């Protein structure tokens, strides 16, 4: 179900409001029910699209609730960009300004808190990255004993220059009340493609005794892929400012001046009491930081 509202006037915008549903394998036997309420705006004047969505009344096997949020951001024109994320981003990734914080795609595979098994995941695609990860947590208690466990991973792939880092973790702990009886944990990361390196730490705890083993090994030697060619950001900025579509005038209101004989084409005519506006999406202005990544 999708409602489209086309708004004309000062700006041309398309407002999106609706629900996306996926009932598998059939609507009558929906073992997997995914329903997402979406709200978005497509601005034709700005060349942007923004859509936010949230999972509602979604279940697995008609019993286990599924929750989470997602966003879509796109920009076309002289400085195109794209971002699609469901459940959030990699912990090391800094999302662009204006992108809201998202809830992980989560499911609770138990009816109560004991035992408790929860799973969370995310997937994201940006102009230069692919990101995905998942985490599962287990808790169970009986007769004064409790078991806690966790397993998960996070992967961040940068496309240019090609680079990836995959972090992994796992742990299992047995406790008597608040006292630890046994715990084993593993955490590490795999980074590549060249050099391809794996590192991490394994820890063991039994009553009052604990020790750890660290590892760091290069699986494939070599140099990192070369950086992409440098970009003349100043030239790209000048090109954007030379585009007549980057400039816009705003009327100064009703007054005794009439404009006649306006030139056609790309000529910009400014009302004597109006305002001249310019917008560009090439580089950030008024910043003291160096620009290390472009595009």
């Amino acid at each position: 179900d999708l409602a489209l509202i086309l708004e004309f006037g000062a700006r041309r915008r398309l407002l999106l409001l609706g629900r996306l549903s996926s009932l598998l394998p059939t609507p009558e036997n929906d073992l997997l029910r995914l329903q997402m309420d979406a709200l978005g705006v497509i601005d034709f004047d700005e060349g942007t699209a923004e859509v936010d969505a949230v999972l509602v009344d979604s279940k697995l096997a008609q019993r286990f609730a599924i929750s989470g949020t997602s966003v879509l951001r796109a920009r076309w024109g002289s400085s195109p960009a794209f971002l699609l994320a469901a459940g959030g981003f990699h912990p090391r990734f800094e999302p662009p300004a204006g992108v809201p914080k998202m809830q992980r795609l989560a499911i609770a595979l138990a009816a109560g808190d004991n035992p408790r098994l929860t799973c969370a995941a995310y997937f994201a695609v940006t102009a230069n990255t692919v990101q995905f990860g998942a985490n599962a947590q287990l808790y169970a208690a009986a007769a004064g004993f409790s078991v806690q466990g966790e397993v998960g991973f996070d992967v961040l792939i940068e496309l240019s220059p090609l680079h990836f880092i995959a972090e992994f973790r796992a742990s299992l702990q047995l406790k008597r009340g608040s006292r630890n009886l046994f715990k084993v944990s593993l955490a590490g990361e795999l980074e590549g493609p060249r050099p391809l390196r794996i590192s991490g730490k394994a820890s063991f705890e039994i009553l009052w005794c604990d020790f750890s083993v660290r590892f760091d090994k290069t699986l494939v030697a070599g140099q990192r892929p070369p950086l992409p060619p440098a970009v003349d950001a100043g030239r790209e900025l000048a090109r954007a400012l030379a585009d007549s579509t980057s400039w816009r005038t705003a009327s100064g209101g009703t007054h005794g001046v009439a404009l006649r004989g306006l030139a056609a084409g790309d000529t910009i005519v400014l009302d004597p009491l109006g305002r001249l506006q310019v917008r560009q999406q090439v580089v950030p202005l008024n910043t003291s930081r160096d620009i290390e990544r472009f595009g």
Side-chain angles (χ1 to χ4, degrees):
D1 300 323
L2 188 63
L4 304 179
I5 305 174
L6 188 58
E7 177 183 323
F8 290 98
R11 297 169 66 177
R12 297 174 300 163
R13 296 186 298 179
L14 181 64
L15 308 182
L16 307 175
L17 176 65
R19 170 170 291 185
L20 308 176
S21 299
S22 178
L23 309 178
L24 302 173
T26 63
E28 295 76 19
N29 184 29
D30 53 344
L31 298 179
L32 177 60
R33 172 189 290 265
L34 295 177
Q35 297 191 131
M36 182 173 289
D37 284 349
L39 174 65
V41 178
I42 300 177
D43 193 318
F44 296 100
D45 291 336
E46 296 293 331
T48 61
E50 299 183 359
V51 179
D52 293 359
V54 57
L55 284 170
V56 295
D57 191 25
S58 299
K59 295 183 179 180
L60 175 66
Q62 302 178 352
R63 178 180 178 185
F64 306 111
I66 305 174
S67 61
T69 59
S70 64
V71 301
L72 168 68
R73 297 290 186 269
R75 184 176 67 240
W76 57 91
S78 59
S79 181
F82 178 79
L83 180 152
L84 173 64
F89 301 96
H90 189 281
R92 298 193 184 190
F93 180 78
E94 184 68 26
V99 176
K101 185 176 181 180
M102 283 169 279
Q103 298 177 358
R104 293 288 198 231
L105 303 178
I107 181 172
L109 297 175
D113 290 334
N114 186 22
R116 181 171 66 247
L117 176 60
T118 59
C119 302
Y122 66 92
F123 178 80
V125 177
T126 69
N128 193 45
T129 69
V130 177
Q131 312 170 37
F132 55 93
N135 193 75
Q137 294 182 324
L138 167 69
Y139 173 83
F145 293 88
S146 63
V147 175
Q148 293 177 290
E150 178 185 13
V151 61
F153 67 92
D154 295 287
V155 178
L156 173 61
I157 303 174
E158 296 180 350
L159 303 179
S160 180
L162 181 61
H163 176 258
F164 70 83
I165 182 168
E167 301 169 319
F168 54 90
R169 60 196 171 274
S171 65
L172 181 65
Q173 184 178 29
L174 174 64
K175 301 172 67 175
R176 167 70 174 178
S178 60
R179 182 182 181 186
N180 175 59
L181 299 179
F182 171 78
K183 182 178 181 180
V184 57
S185 61
L186 172 66
E189 63 181 37
L190 177 68
E191 185 176 7
R194 293 193 314 269
L196 182 61
R197 172 174 166 264
I198 186 171
S199 61
K201 175 183 176 182
S203 301
F204 304 88
E205 300 179 25
I206 302 176
L207 296 176
W208 58 86
C209 178
D210 65 89
F211 61 95
S212 300
V213 176
R214 296 183 179 274
F215 55 93
D216 190 337
K217 184 176 180 57
T218 299
L219 304 178
V220 178
Q223 299 296 323
R224 286 193 174 188
L227 294 173
V231 175
D232 188 339
R235 181 187 304 170
E236 296 299 321
L237 174 61
R239 184 179 303 171
L241 296 179
D243 187 349
S244 61
T245 60
S246 300
W247 298 82
R248 185 178 304 169
T249 60
S251 174
T254 303
H255 52 81
V257 176
L259 302 178
R260 295 191 301 175
L262 302 182
D266 295 337
T267 302
I268 299 176
V269 179
L270 177 63
D271 188 308
L273 298 181
R275 292 175 299 167
L276 182 63
Q277 302 173 344
V278 59
R279 292 191 178 188
Q280 59 83 27
Q281 296 177 324
V282 176
V283 292
L285 304 180
N286 193 28
T287 176
S288 60
R289 297 184 301 174
D290 293 335
I291 299 174
E292 298 178 352
R293 301 194 179 197
F294 179 86

